[in-house]
Amino acid sequence: DSRYFRAITYKTITKEGWNIHSLKIMWFTNKKMAHLPKPQGKYVPGCADVMLDYSKDGLFMRLYFPTSAKQEQNANYSNWALWSPDSNYIDGIARAIFVKPFILRILAWWYCGTDIYTPALYGEKVNTDNKLKCVVLSHGYASNRFFYSIICNELASRGYLVAAIEHRDQSACFTYYYDSKENVEKDVKSPINVRHISVGHYIERNKQVNHRAEECSRLIDFLINLNAGQVPFNILDDLNKNQTFNLKDLVGRLDLDTLTMAGHSFGGATALLTLSKRKELKQGILLDPWMFPIKDEKSVIQDITQPLLYINTQTFHISANVKAMDKYLTNDDRHMFTILHTTHESQTDSIHVIGHWLNWFMKKLKPDVALNINNALMLRFLKQYTGHSENVDDLEKCLENEKNNFVSGLTK
């Protein structure tokens, strides 16, 4: 385990033998670096941040991708990405859930120690030996571009490129932009904080989901243009001068004939709205989608013709959300699964950082097991509909072993 307690222990001898009692105190010794679970694919994943334009209206994303690095190179923690590169992200999550930021910082420290890393080589060169099948990922409310790095790293380790956007509609826990080249070089950020909405909830959330879908649409245009040779300037290159990642390496190496749109929670609604508008998207993956923001977008249902995969957790969905999802289950290429004994946070990294917050008294599936099921379902679907060459026998074995922990059909 990468987390170590210093504990005061005492031993008492009984007739049955030794009883060991530990008094755990909140004092950590980080003998090893805390990190999220490593992916299971054959490639070592890499990641890099891309920001376009000196403006709030530009795009900000993290790309996850396969690299040519050897597995032993992935043991060099110094090359891994920090899970949260800025303390403002943790503070933003706290504000979004109405908790004092120092409380969440203490919990993260208690649960993981000091720095938390994601096992992906930051700024590494992309492996483009094969054309990369692409997934666009939209995050949920109070999330961000790295909140699903366990899922993204797994896909990258299997040979996919994931473009995880960080939305600037004030639904991210925190984000930022730079308004000039000088401020990039000085790392002077213009912050965008999460916004609470109490009045006109549907109207405002619908405005946000349309803003988000427009951002995803521009990200799709970015991928199309990049693949065609139009390479924009990544303004973060002025901050990360030593990295070997270069957008030029992706020219002509993206397989956009099988482009996938995915999203979690608010991002699920964003994904559906984007799927209805962009036919370049060939299939969609919805993780615990929050359907409320698009409940009056009547054309979305009829405009979506692509195959869909829903992966839901057990406790998130009220009847109205289930009824809204059911309207999309019209064809044999629309699939829905529910992972049992899980909560809305089970598809995010947060349970590995601050533990479970939801449904405290519910017996829950182990976080790694829940994410393994989720990732296996995603990758099996992607294999079927994108024709990816990656061998998925290990995923089928995982699903067979865990068949009692998920069910198919409409979420109950």
Side-chain angles (χ1 to χ4, degrees):
D1 196 335
S2 60
R3 300 185 298 272
Y4 288 82
F5 296 101
R6 283 188 176 177
I8 302 169
T9 64
Y10 64 91
K11 300 177 181 180
T12 59
I13 301 176
T14 67
K15 292 181 181 178
E16 290 79 18
W18 288 90
N19 285 331
I20 300 176
H21 304 273
S22 295
L23 300 175
K24 294 178 179 177
I25 59 176
M26 289 177 65
W27 184 18
F28 281 84
T29 302
N30 271 332
K31 295 181 180 178
K32 287 187 179 180
M33 203 172 295
H35 63 81
L36 299 178
K38 288 186 177 181
Q40 301 173 39
K42 66 181 182 180
Y43 297 103
V44 172
C47 65
D49 291 323
V50 175
M51 188 180 290
L52 306 180
D53 302 326
Y54 301 101
S55 165
K56 180 180 178 180
D57 296 326
L59 289 174
F60 189 20
M61 72 196 81
R62 175 164 288 184
L63 300 182
Y64 299 81
F65 44 80
T67 72
S68 299
K70 304 299 182 183
Q71 290 294 341
E72 53 267 25
Q73 292 176 256
N74 208 29
N76 185 356
Y77 296 163
S78 64
N79 292 330
W80 286 359
L82 269 173
W83 183 75
S84 179
D86 186 325
S87 62
N88 283 305
Y89 284 96
I90 298 294
D91 293 351
I93 294 170
R95 284 191 293 268
I97 61 177
F98 301 99
V99 172
K100 294 291 185 182
F102 79 90
I103 294 176
L104 206 61
R105 290 190 191 191
I106 289 173
L107 281 170
W109 174 71
W110 168 253
Y111 200 74
C112 286
T114 51
D115 292 333
I116 307 159
Y117 287 76
T118 181
L121 301 179
Y122 190 82
E124 185 71 15
K125 185 179 177 66
V126 185
N127 181 335
T128 55
D129 291 347
N130 300 304
K131 278 197 169 186
L132 299 171
K133 296 184 182 295
C134 302
V135 179
V136 175
L137 178 67
S138 171
H139 64 73
Y141 173 72
S143 302
N144 52 61
R145 71 192 187 282
F146 57 83
F147 209 65
Y148 309 90
S149 63
I150 297 174
I151 292 175
C152 294
N153 284 339
E154 187 63 43
L155 268 61
S157 79
R158 307 276 178 165
Y160 292 87
L161 180 140
V162 183
I165 192 168
E166 191 161 280
H167 292 292
R168 289 173 167 174
D169 62 326
Q170 294 188 280
S171 66
C173 60
F174 171 79
T175 190
Y176 61 94
Y177 63 97
Y178 295 102
D179 59 11
S180 68
K181 180 179 177 66
E182 180 182 17
N183 280 341
V184 174
E185 293 172 344
K186 293 180 178 179
D187 196 19
V188 177
K189 301 179 176 74
S190 297
I192 302 173
N193 293 309
V194 66
R195 175 189 174 202
H196 294 292
I197 295 173
S198 56
V199 179
H201 193 235
Y202 173 74
I203 293 173
E204 293 303 314
R205 293 302 186 203
N206 182 254
K207 287 180 182 177
Q208 284 184 314
V209 78
N210 275 278
H211 184 281
R212 289 163 139 260
E214 190 272 333
E215 286 180 314
C216 290
S217 187
R218 285 192 284 124
L219 194 157
I220 293 166
D221 290 336
F222 157 73
L223 292 174
I224 292 171
N225 293 334
L226 176 62
N227 201 43
Q230 299 178 37
V231 183
F233 178 59
N234 178 9
I235 68 173
L236 298 181
D237 285 349
D238 285 332
L239 271 180
N240 305 314
K241 296 182 182 296
N242 296 324
Q243 67 181 19
T244 56
F245 170 81
N246 195 315
L247 286 174
K248 291 180 181 179
D249 293 335
L250 295 173
V251 172
R253 303 310 299 161
L254 304 179
D255 177 359
L256 300 179
D257 293 332
T258 58
L259 185 58
T260 303
M261 184 72 216
H264 174 255
S265 193
F266 204 172
T270 305
L272 286 167
L273 187 57
T274 310
L275 281 158
S276 74
K277 297 176 180 293
R278 297 298 298 255
K279 294 308 172 186
E280 296 95 336
L281 296 167
K282 301 306 180 185
Q283 52 277 321
I285 299 176
L286 302 318
L287 306 178
D288 245 6
W290 180 39
M291 305 297 287
F292 174 77
I294 56 170
K295 69 183 181 72
D296 292 340
E297 297 276 357
K298 303 301 182 185
S299 63
V300 173
I301 297 173
Q302 64 190 36
D303 289 343
I304 293 179
T305 58
Q306 301 96 321
L308 299 176
L309 170 66
Y310 288 86
I311 307 176
N312 295 330
T313 61
Q314 184 173 336
T315 58
F316 178 64
H317 300 279
I318 61 174
S319 59
N321 212 60
V322 173
K323 289 177 182 177
M325 292 188 295
D326 190 28
K327 294 177 182 178
Y328 292 83
L329 300 180
T330 55
N331 304 317
D332 291 339
D333 59 5
R334 308 285 174 87
H335 314 274
M336 182 177 289
F337 296 90
T338 305
I339 305 175
L340 304 177
H341 316 298
T342 54
T343 64
H344 195 50
E345 61 210 334
S346 295
Q347 293 164 314
T348 75
D349 296 348
S350 66
I351 48 176
H352 288 272
V353 178
I354 56 175
H356 282 101
W357 276 67
L358 303 174
N359 305 83
W360 279 16
F361 300 105
M362 168 186 163
K363 184 179 179 180
K364 300 178 181 70
L365 203 57
K366 290 181 179 180
D368 288 353
V369 174
L371 276 167
N372 285 343
I373 295 170
N374 179 86
N375 293 344
L377 290 170
M378 287 181 67
L379 286 158
R380 185 176 69 176
F381 176 84
L382 288 168
K383 170 79 171 179
Q384 179 180 356
Y385 289 99
T386 70
H388 197 288
S389 60
E390 181 74 3
N391 187 301
V392 296
D393 289 348
D394 63 318
L395 305 174
E396 296 289 359
K397 183 177 180 180
C398 169
L399 294 175
E400 176 61 26
N401 291 341
E402 302 297 340
K403 61 185 177 183
N404 294 327
N405 288 320
F406 69 98
V407 294
S408 62
L410 188 66
T411 298
K412 306 298 184 185

